[in-house]
Amino acid sequence: MDTKKRFLLVHPEISRTKYNFAGVIDNEPLELEYIVAMLKEAGYEVAIWDGQVETIPLTEKVASYRPDFVYVCGRTRQENFMKEYCKAAKEMCGSITMIGGLHSQHNYERFYEDYIDYVLITFDVYKILDVVQGAILADMDGICYKLENEWVKNEPVAFDIEKLPKPDRTYFYEHLERYRYLELLPCAHVRTAYSCPYRCKFCYRNRLNCGVYTSRSIVSVVEEIKEIQCENIYIIDDDFLVDVERIREFIRLIKEQNIHKKYVCYGRADFISQYPDLIMELKDIGFYYILVGLEAIDDRYLSEYNKHSDMSCNTNAVRILNEVGINIMGMFIVDLDFTARDFSRLYKWIKAHRLKHTAISIFTPEMSSELMIQYESRLITDNPEAWDYLHVVAKPTKMSVGRFYFHYHILGIKLFIKGWSEGIYDFLDYGYYIKSFLKNLFRFGG
């Protein structure tokens, strides 16, 4: 094996638009850290360029590092960057280019370009090593490649998350001042599962990994957490609060190992509502934020979204977390059927139920989904950068696009000011964000 082969692993910048929340939530590039560990063990030279934190452009890194292979991951809104980076690497030094990550799993054809050599449609990072070491492409599942200038797709199979290597966090430790979740700085990422066992209509993630939910042993999870040199841990599973016995084992092992850290995770309202005593135990071991997809404030939308939960669960979950003392990040969807009254009602509900932290997304039909087909005739853009849940991509039904943006930004300003008055965003430059909100308010085009 030629140990001089160089890999450059790339996590794209988030945005070049006005919606840039760098410094609020900046995510550790965990996916790349798995790949770093694998490649180092195999004897390759490897470097990371993370657009969230790097101060030099990707082209400058490529020019100085001269990688033989470039791997770029990313989400839908980063598609243009992903292509741009691969094209630059190909033109500058003829690198073999690979695309992976969440977006490519079901949108692989969007990367069928002359300057891209391989597209991974699996979570199995070892496929990268197989390609480099000359495995027979026709025998590899979960990869798209070119054969006589025609693209070939090999169907993926579900990947067992237990097979992942232990991530190499060297890059994370070098940039501790940049990776955060709100005021939790630094904040490390831990993944304990892939995909999601639920089938919410609007969600893309339950289709990942061939729609198969796979989880790690809690013993290995706790061992990893104990070794991480960081006091804040973000468990980035699509839903960590799935299996009651698994959560109880997690609590028991954290106590036995005498681990004292703060945790962030996703959890459903119906789980929280059903197991309040378990939520208290999570508080006792350090759970600081739980991100809850409340989605709506009436049962009609929850039913349409196939949420398999109801407003009583939402109300109880908010009450339980408030009483226990875990910060709830309530996540809502503003539907394209919203009226001005619906925006107002949402704010009043949030205020009445003492929700301090909220994230408000615009309903967005995911690419390559049944919803995309359903909303195809209503699409107003095909620019993937708009798929950030902060832009309107399909026509609203009750008002113009401009008016919809107006009410959306008004809601955002009111919620930000509410948070400001409650002191929850003291780590931010309030003036900058208020000016940003106001600027967006009068730019209806989004």
Side-chain angles (χ1 to χ4, degrees):
M1 180 188 64
D2 184 359
T3 58
K4 296 181 181 180
K5 294 293 184 181
R6 291 182 174 182
F7 275 84
L8 180 60
L9 308 180
V10 179
H11 182 276
E13 56 200 288
I14 299 300
S15 175
R16 294 173 191 161
T17 73
K18 62 182 179 297
Y19 295 110
N20 191 339
F21 296 102
V24 181
I25 299 173
D26 292 317
N27 296 319
E28 177 186 3
L30 182 63
E31 175 184 343
L32 300 187
E33 293 169 344
Y34 290 126
I35 300 172
V36 169
M38 173 192 69
L39 292 174
K40 281 185 175 180
E41 184 178 357
Y44 293 97
E45 185 176 341
V46 57
I48 288 178
W49 183 91
D50 183 355
Q52 297 176 108
V53 306
E54 292 288 350
T55 57
I56 63 170
L58 187 280
T59 50
E60 186 174 330
K61 179 67 176 181
V62 169
S64 62
Y65 191 66
R66 307 297 296 178
D68 299 286
F69 300 91
V70 172
Y71 172 90
V72 185
C73 66
R75 301 185 181 186
T76 306
R77 65 181 181 269
Q78 297 165 314
E79 178 186 304
N80 291 341
F81 301 148
M82 296 165 72
K83 291 179 178 179
E84 175 187 318
Y85 299 156
C86 286
K87 186 175 183 181
K90 182 67 70 175
E91 291 176 350
M92 291 177 67
C93 53
S95 304
I96 301 298
T97 55
M98 304 180 186
I99 292 287
L102 301 179
H103 180 44
S104 68
Q105 284 200 24
H106 288 284
N107 296 280
Y108 46 88
E109 291 181 328
R110 298 180 66 89
F111 295 100
Y112 285 1
E113 304 284 358
D114 291 341
Y115 49 83
I116 294 174
D117 297 300
Y118 302 97
V119 181
L120 270 65
I121 53 177
T122 173
F123 282 125
D124 186 353
V125 298
Y126 290 98
K127 300 301 177 185
I128 299 171
L129 201 57
D130 290 342
V131 168
V132 175
Q133 295 181 340
I136 299 174
L137 293 173
D139 295 338
M140 293 173 55
D141 58 75
I143 190 169
C144 303
Y145 62 97
K146 283 175 285 191
L147 181 64
E148 298 179 353
N149 293 320
E150 294 291 331
W151 280 92
V152 176
K153 174 199 173 187
N154 293 346
E155 293 292 337
V157 297
F159 178 65
D160 180 2
I161 193 173
E162 291 279 18
K163 296 179 180 179
L164 280 175
K166 184 182 297 184
D168 182 316
R169 300 184 188 271
T170 303
Y171 190 88
F172 171 73
Y173 293 132
E174 291 172 350
H175 298 87
L176 288 176
E177 77 286 357
R178 294 303 306 274
Y179 292 115
R180 71 185 308 152
Y181 184 85
L182 299 178
E183 74 270 30
L184 301 182
L185 174 72
C187 188
H189 283 196
V190 171
R191 179 173 288 283
T192 86
Y194 274 135
S195 196
C196 178
Y198 298 95
R199 293 295 180 264
C200 299
K201 187 176 182 180
F202 57 82
C203 187
Y204 177 79
R205 293 172 177 271
N206 54 41
R207 298 168 55 230
L208 299 174
N209 201 41
C210 303
V212 176
Y213 176 75
T214 175
S215 60
R216 295 169 55 191
S217 76
I218 285 298
V219 172
S220 69
V221 170
V222 172
E223 287 176 353
E224 178 182 349
I225 289 173
K226 186 175 182 179
E227 292 176 359
I228 297 174
Q229 299 168 39
C230 182
E231 297 307 307
N232 303 307
I233 305 295
Y234 185 172
I235 299 173
I236 60 169
D237 303 2
D238 303 315
D239 187 349
F240 181 58
L241 306 183
V242 173
D243 184 319
V244 175
E245 294 309 315
R246 188 168 183 261
I247 299 301
R248 285 182 175 143
E249 184 182 8
F250 179 82
I251 294 169
R252 178 180 61 79
L253 290 174
I254 290 292
K255 289 180 178 179
E256 285 182 1
Q257 296 289 328
N258 198 30
I259 299 172
H260 299 284
K261 300 193 179 191
K262 291 181 179 178
Y263 302 92
V264 180
C265 80
Y266 288 89
R268 282 175 57 98
D270 51 352
F271 184 100
I272 295 166
S273 179
Q274 187 174 357
Y275 301 104
D277 292 342
L278 203 59
I279 302 305
M280 177 60 80
E281 293 185 59
L282 290 173
K283 164 67 176 177
D284 291 341
I285 64 167
F287 273 68
Y288 190 82
Y289 279 106
I290 295 183
L291 287 61
V292 185
L294 300 172
E295 322 303 0
I297 58 170
D298 62 62
D299 286 329
R300 176 174 69 89
Y301 281 117
L302 293 176
S303 177
E304 288 180 2
Y305 295 158
N306 197 38
K307 189 68 182 179
H308 289 290
S309 185
D310 57 30
M311 281 308 299
S312 64
C313 290
N314 280 2
T315 302
N316 286 334
V318 174
R319 175 185 56 79
I320 289 167
L321 290 174
N322 280 339
E323 290 177 355
V324 166
I326 296 178
N327 295 298
I328 175 175
M329 174 63 76
M331 298 183 293
F332 294 92
I333 297 171
V334 292
D335 198 88
L336 296 177
D337 290 339
F338 263 31
T339 64
R341 181 171 176 269
D342 290 321
F343 282 97
S344 179
R345 286 180 60 237
L346 178 54
Y347 176 75
K348 290 177 181 177
W349 193 94
I350 289 169
K351 187 175 181 180
H353 290 82
R354 297 186 296 116
L355 262 174
K356 291 184 178 181
H357 302 82
T358 53
I360 312 296
S361 301
I362 297 173
F363 181 88
T364 303
E366 294 286 0
M367 293 183 179
S368 299
S369 69
E370 293 179 3
L371 280 178
M372 190 66 167
I373 298 172
Q374 179 182 334
Y375 282 80
E376 187 173 14
S377 64
R378 292 168 56 183
L379 294 179
I380 61 174
T381 181
D382 61 0
N383 185 351
E385 291 180 31
W387 264 257
D388 59 1
Y389 313 104
L390 302 172
H391 284 82
V392 178
V393 303
K395 291 179 181 178
T397 59
K398 304 293 175 59
M399 61 182 78
S400 68
V401 172
R403 183 55 55 178
F404 191 95
Y405 271 122
F406 177 82
H407 289 289
Y408 177 67
H409 291 311
I410 285 289
L411 176 61
I413 291 170
K414 289 164 68 176
L415 290 172
F416 192 76
I417 292 174
K418 177 178 177 293
W420 184 7
S421 68
E422 293 170 343
I424 63 172
Y425 297 134
D426 286 343
F427 62 95
L428 292 179
D429 179 345
Y430 278 100
Y432 170 82
Y433 282 97
I434 287 294
K435 288 177 184 177
S436 177
F437 276 121
L438 290 173
K439 187 177 181 180
N440 294 338
L441 176 63
F442 297 104
R443 192 183 296 172
F444 294 158

